[in-house]
Structure formats: C-alpha cells, structure tokens
Amino acid sequence: MSENYTTSTAFLEALQEAGVSYIFANLGSDHPAMIEALALAKKQNKKFPEVITCPHEMVALTAASSYAQMTGEPQAVVVHVECGTQNLGGAIHNAAKGRIPVLIFAGASPYTQEGELLGSRNEFIHWLQDVHDQRGIVRGYTKYDNEIRTGSNVKQLVHRSLQIAKSNPKGPVYLVGPREVMEETTQKVNIDTNQWEPLASAALPAEDVKNIVADLKKAKKPLVITSYLGREREAVEELVKLCESLSIPVIESVPSYMNFPGDHSLHCGYQWWNSPDKIELLTDADVILVLDSDVPWIPMKHKPNGDCIIYHIDVDPLKQQMPLWYIKSKRSFYADCKIALRQINEMLDNESLDKTEIVTRRGKISNIHQQQVEEEQELEQINSEYITPEYLTSCIREIVDENTIILNEGISNYPIIYKHIRSNKPGSIISSGAGSLGWHGGAAIGVKLAYKDKTVISLTGDGSYMFSVPSTVHWMARKYNTPFLTVIYNNRGWKSPKLSTLGVHPDGVANEMSEFHVDFGPVTDYAKVAEAAGGAYAQTVKDPKDVKGALQNALQAIKEGRAAVLDVYLPAIHPEKDVDFGDKAVTLMK
C-alpha cells in the first residue's frame, strides 16, 4: 500500500465507485489532502470524478442538482468549511424542497494547533472558521449529516450517504471532515456497491387499488392534479394511459417537470391558483387523484367541494419538511406514481367500462382544452409597441425542437412560460421545484454537462438573473464548454413582491402611491455582464420585430460553442419609474 493512500483518496474512490461523474468544487484551506489526492491520481492515470471549479457555491450546488434532476444520478459538491456551507445559500433550499439527491462535503477547521498531526492549524483563518455546530447550518435541509472521523470507514459513510440521498423522498446529504482526518494515511477498503442501493420503490396495497379503480369508474367528473410526477419519465406514459382510458382531465399545479403532454386534448392547464375566477374542473370534481404534488390547490382561493373523494399518491405524502400541510384525502399513500399508475392501469384493463360516458366526457374536456389553446394563441399576437411575455415565449417555442431542454425560472412569468411553450416530451422542461431564486444559471451548466448534445435554453426574470451570480455562471460556461441560451424576461423590477402585496392589500397605500420598492432603475445591461465574464454573445432586445432575429443570432452563437444572453425588455412593472440611462450614463456621471 502506498503511504499516500489517505482518507481523501478513499473518499474520492468511493465517489467513483458510486457512479459520481463530477465534483463541483470551491476549494479552501481545509482541502490540501484532497487536492494532493487528485493530483496524485492524475499522475498515476487513476480515474476519479472530474473536478468542476466553481467560483461560487450557489452555482456549484445548483449545477450538481440539475444534473441529478435530469439523470437521477447524484453528484458531489465540495465547499470550504462553514463559510462555503453558508454560501450554498438558497441552493440547499432548492435541493431539499425539490427532492434532489446530491452529496455535499465540507472540510472542517483543524482540531490540533501545535503540529501534533499532519494538517494541524497553520493559518489564522483556522481559528475564525471553527464554529460550534457547522453541520447545524444545513441540518434543516438535509436528509442526513455526519462527520468523517477516520479513514477506516469513510467509504461506508459515503455510500450510506448516497443511499439515503437516492431513496424516496430524495434529497441532499452533508458530510464534514476535519483536515487532520482527511490527511490520515489509511488502509484501502473494498466495497460491494450492490449493498448500498437506494430503497426499492413502494407500490399501492392491492385492496386500495381496487377501491381507487371502483371510485374512478363511478366518477362523473374525475380530475388528476400533479406537479412533479414527470421526474420519472415512464410515469408520464402511465398517466396518459390512465387518462385516455377514462377521459380524465389533468391540471398541472405549480409544475417543476413536464408531467402530461401540453398539446394533449385532456390537458387542462397550468395553475398557480392565484386567479379569482372559479376553476370549475376543481370545484365540480367528484373524484380527484393528487399525484406527486406539494400544493395541489390553495384552500383560501380554490378547493374541491366537500363531497369530493380525494386520493393522494406521493413519494413524500407526509411532507415532513413542511410544518403545516394537509389536504382532505380519503387515503394517502407513500408510493411511486409510476408503479401505482401501472397497478391501476392493469386493473382497469380487466374491468368493463362505460364507453359512452367516457366518450362524452372526452368531448367536453377536449372543448375546454381547445378553448384554452385559442385564448393563449390570441395572447401570442405581436404588439407593435412593446414585447409581451406571451409573444416572446411563442417565439421561443418556434425554435424549440426534440433536442431542446427548457429551464423555467420566469417567476411572475412561470405560468406564461409553461402555457405557451406547451412541452409534450418528458424531460423537455424543468424548474427548481422550490423557492430560492437564481437557480437557472447553474442549472443550465448542470443540464449541459449531463446532455452535451442538447440545446439548453434558460428562461428567467431579471431579478432571478441577478440572483444567479451570472459572472460565475458564464465564466464556468466558457471554461467547461457548456454553451446555453439565456433569455431574460426583463420588466425592470421584482414583479412578484408587488403581486404579493396586492394579493393581501389590493386597496392599500402601497397601491395608492405605487410604492413597492421593487423597481430596478437605473437599468443594468445584463447581457454585457455575461459577455464580460464569459465571452457570451450579448444582445438587448426592445423592439418586438427584433425578437425572432435575435433568437436566431443567439442560437447560432451557441451552436458555435459560445453562450448567449438575450436581455428582452417587457413592459416595466413601474412605467413611471422606468429609467434607462443608456449612453446618458457617462454624461450624468460627469
């Protein structure tokens, strides 16, 4: 055994054994042993996961998370002690709430200070970065956390962590290792990775399958509501089969995946439930299947009638990370929707169905779908004076093909993007599934690393663009050859806080005075940020007639290996405060 076989070497070997492809790293004074182990592996032509240098930890974890979203395979993130852990920021929230498997490793300040062990404290920062409970910083967002105390069982800890991360409900895990431990010379341990597979997916009890089928057969106005069923692409096929068998309409509630083909005649819309109008499919339903959804409806706005039978099937039915959560369901099941739907479909195949009623219902639902499509098409018409988000999204839809993946972080334009992109292929559109902004940039890098031959288009608001650390994102995109297109839906401010305020105080003083503290004037040249940081193709678009040409220019740039950013001006949220200094900025400064 080489004397250079350390805990860090064993840690990296374990990641390789587990199928981790990338380590998204922001290294620091706690990682000399890991840096040395990586260098030695390169010298010896030993295969370890590829290191992706990430100048900001938020981007690192977001990239790792989106890679796992698209492939199902967790990646590793390495950050610097408690400072790097805190700099993960909202990305740890997104990974937790979005149920994304990822392994985060952070070093810890050395625990000796007089040279007792290799790695002992030798920099002033080692005293300042030693905190009482480093793991506690993220404990509320992780499924598992632990400290590596010896190299003798580090592989077991890594494989256990990943087993937990990949078992439903999935999520991030966090390990720490003090510098002396990671420098420790140790013996190699051989691991049978078959012993560390994630837990098998759960099915529905046979008797409950019968009850669900019986209630669906009797239903006059059945409905399916889902949000993230599409994370398993085969589940989409099973849902389509069920809905076509019984003519059941589908509503996607705050979706984070493509859950049901948007152009299917049984697709009846994407809901954020903020509309004051009655949603008749929900309020009139007599049987509802809630499939993988955190917020199937908002009770104070819309909810099913009191007699409705509700079945809830979810990989996370208890929502244990949500202190307040419940819906009025006849039964809730911890089950994999792909398996559960397959069970229901198999039983339906053996049941006699009232074809006349099903055909009649199909006609009614198809009419609802067609009416929605026509209303959306009307909104997509070009306006000669300004660019609408509906028109912009329809233009983006025209450049989308079977090889395109859309990332949606449109915030106030979330529903518009889903409605007007109308994705119909599983895996063709994703969102973070959570609430911390700035996801789209790092996510685009992760998706592009996972699918190098795909066209990746990231749609974002101007506020979330700033949150994404674009200087880091575009530096990484150039360094690691992951070109993608960013389209900024720029309304010169945070529209969502304004909408939230109006939702609670529609006739309040803030509305009276038009004072919401959310406008971004004077305007930043967002596209130029990406150009300066990563050599991206940059263009600002203000005229509706320039939108399609700009999209073609941007597509050509990414085909040539260069990221592109289109900063598209929509109507400002505060027209009276919409200040674009442009070339006047220099004069004003003088």
Side-chain angles (χ1 to χ4, degrees):
M1 180 197 71
S2 168
E3 63 180 0
N4 292 316
Y5 190 91
T6 64
T7 303
S8 292
T9 308
F11 174 84
L12 294 166
E13 272 189 3
L15 295 180
Q16 181 70 23
E17 293 165 355
V20 172
S21 299
Y22 295 102
I23 298 171
F24 297 88
N26 191 295
L27 301 168
S29 62
D30 44 337
H31 301 125
M34 187 173 292
I35 293 171
E36 188 70 10
L38 287 164
L40 181 60
K42 184 175 182 179
K43 181 178 180 181
Q44 296 175 342
N45 292 317
K46 184 176 183 178
K47 179 71 172 175
F48 277 161
E50 181 181 348
V51 175
I52 303 293
T53 300
C54 304
H56 198 286
E57 294 85 348
M58 166 80 174
V59 181
L61 180 51
T62 302
S65 297
S66 67
Y67 188 103
Q69 272 187 278
M70 294 302 296
T71 66
E73 294 301 323
Q75 303 303 294
V77 174
V78 173
V79 298
H80 179 46
V81 292
E82 110 287 5
C83 291
T85 300
Q86 293 186 92
N87 228 23
L88 293 170
I92 190 71
H93 158 95
N94 288 339
K97 302 302 182 181
R99 300 173 188 84
I100 310 300
V102 61
L103 186 149
I104 305 163
F105 171 80
S109 285
Y111 53 79
T112 59
Q113 69 175 32
E114 297 188 28
E116 299 95 324
L117 297 169
L118 183 62
S120 189
R121 296 186 181 193
N122 63 349
E123 301 177 35
F124 82 96
I125 202 69
H126 293 152
W127 281 267
L128 302 183
Q129 292 176 337
D130 189 10
V131 296
H132 291 295
D133 186 11
Q134 180 176 316
R135 289 152 58 189
I137 296 169
V138 294
R139 189 169 293 127
Y141 298 92
T142 57
K143 290 187 66 182
Y144 172 79
D145 67 87
N146 204 348
E147 179 181 334
I148 299 169
R149 296 183 175 90
T150 173
S152 299
N153 70 347
V154 64
K155 283 194 174 184
Q156 289 90 330
L157 291 186
V158 169
H159 286 288
R160 170 168 166 75
S161 298
L162 288 168
Q163 180 186 42
I164 291 171
K166 293 176 71 173
S167 296
N168 283 323
K170 300 175 183 179
V173 293
Y174 181 77
L175 293 175
V176 300
R179 201 161 77 155
E180 295 94 332
V181 172
M182 300 310 291
E183 292 278 3
E184 173 190 313
T185 300
T186 190
Q187 297 287 332
K188 183 170 183 175
V189 174
N190 293 316
I191 290 289
D192 179 2
T193 57
N194 292 324
Q195 295 179 359
W196 302 95
E197 290 295 316
L199 298 185
S201 298
L204 296 174
E207 190 61 33
D208 288 299
V209 176
K210 293 179 182 178
N211 293 335
I212 293 171
V213 168
D215 283 334
L216 286 174
K217 285 182 63 182
K218 290 185 292 185
K220 302 298 182 183
K221 296 182 177 181
L223 175 65
V224 166
I225 297 177
T226 184
S227 303
Y228 50 88
L229 170 142
R231 79 197 185 290
E232 272 199 275
R233 297 173 194 182
E234 293 177 8
V236 176
E237 181 181 342
E238 294 294 336
L239 180 57
V240 170
K241 182 178 179 180
L242 171 64
C243 292
E244 289 182 342
S245 296
L246 294 173
S247 295
I248 305 177
V250 176
I251 291 176
E252 294 190 61
S253 175
V254 197
S256 48
Y257 296 86
M258 199 296 291
N259 301 296
F260 195 83
D263 59 359
H264 197 289
S265 62
L266 293 172
H267 193 290
C268 288
Y270 307 87
Q271 287 294 335
W272 269 249
W273 307 107
N274 293 324
S275 168
D277 300 327
K278 181 181 178 183
I279 311 294
E280 293 184 357
L281 286 174
L282 175 70
T283 56
D284 295 350
D286 53 2
V287 175
I288 296 178
L289 291 185
V290 176
L291 306 174
D292 283 340
S293 181
D294 287 331
V295 187
W297 49 78
I298 296 176
M300 69 175 290
K301 291 287 189 73
H302 307 279
K303 60 183 177 181
N305 67 75
D307 296 326
C308 181
I309 297 171
I310 300 169
Y311 289 104
H312 177 214
I313 306 171
D314 206 311
V315 292
D316 185 17
L318 289 177
K319 316 291 183 188
Q320 287 176 284
Q321 283 205 330
M322 302 180 190
L324 177 62
W325 194 95
Y326 55 88
I327 60 174
K328 184 185 175 184
S329 56
K330 179 178 179 179
R331 288 296 307 273
S332 284
F333 303 96
Y334 171 72
D336 183 303
C337 279
K338 175 186 68 178
I339 297 172
L341 287 168
R342 189 170 292 158
Q343 291 176 279
I344 294 169
N345 283 328
E346 287 173 355
M347 183 162 286
L348 271 176
D349 285 343
N350 299 320
E351 296 282 347
S352 58
L353 301 173
D354 185 343
K355 298 293 186 180
T356 302
E357 183 174 345
I358 291 171
V359 170
T360 301
R361 184 160 62 230
R362 178 70 176 258
K364 292 178 180 178
I365 301 306
S366 296
N367 288 338
I368 294 172
H369 170 82
Q370 185 58 36
Q371 182 180 349
Q372 290 179 347
V373 170
E374 290 172 2
E375 290 172 354
E376 289 158 11
Q377 288 174 338
E378 183 67 27
L379 292 170
E380 291 174 0
Q381 303 306 306
I382 188 170
N383 185 301
S384 60
E385 297 180 5
Y386 54 83
I387 302 168
T388 66
E390 293 86 357
Y391 174 69
L392 173 58
T393 309
S394 71
C395 292
I396 294 167
R397 187 180 69 236
E398 290 180 10
I399 66 170
V400 169
D401 59 21
E402 290 294 303
N403 206 40
T404 303
I405 299 173
I406 298 285
L407 280 63
N408 181 0
E409 195 176 26
I411 313 307
S412 56
N413 288 309
Y414 261 132
I416 288 174
I417 290 170
Y418 273 106
K419 286 178 182 179
H420 295 271
I421 290 292
R422 290 199 288 275
S423 295
N424 54 26
K425 179 182 176 183
S428 61
I429 188 168
I430 60 170
S431 301
S432 74
S436 186
L437 306 188
W439 166 84
H440 68 278
I445 291 172
V447 172
K448 191 66 179 177
L449 286 170
Y451 296 101
K452 293 182 173 64
D453 61 334
K454 298 288 187 181
T455 300
V456 177
I457 302 178
S458 187
L459 310 181
T460 180
D462 48 324
S464 51
Y465 180 79
M466 287 197 284
F467 275 124
S468 72
V469 200
S471 56
T472 288
V473 166
H474 287 281
W475 177 86
M476 289 175 61
R478 177 160 59 174
K479 181 175 179 66
Y480 296 105
N481 191 28
T482 55
F484 61 95
L485 167 60
T486 302
V487 180
I488 303 172
Y489 286 57
N490 188 348
N491 55 22
R492 274 82 76 215
W494 281 315
K495 187 176 181 180
S496 293
K498 177 180 177 180
L499 296 176
S500 296
T501 302
L502 293 175
V504 179
H505 303 286
D507 302 312
V509 179
N511 188 32
E512 175 189 342
M513 302 192 61
S514 191
E515 189 58 74
F516 298 90
H517 307 285
V518 293
D519 56 284
F520 287 166
V523 178
T524 298
D525 194 340
Y526 298 120
K528 290 290 186 182
V529 174
E531 183 181 52
Y537 172 84
Q539 185 175 350
T540 299
V541 185
K542 300 182 181 180
D543 192 320
K545 70 177 184 295
D546 295 335
V547 171
K548 292 186 178 183
L551 286 168
Q552 291 300 328
N553 293 340
L555 268 186
Q556 184 60 36
I558 62 174
K559 287 177 181 177
E560 295 170 357
R562 185 183 179 195
V565 176
L566 297 183
D567 183 6
V568 183
Y569 275 41
L570 307 180
I573 60 170
H574 282 305
E576 72 281 5
K577 298 181 181 182
D578 190 17
V579 180
D580 183 358
F581 286 113
D583 295 335
K584 297 178 182 178
V586 177
T587 304
L588 289 169
M589 287 174 66
K590 291 178 180 178

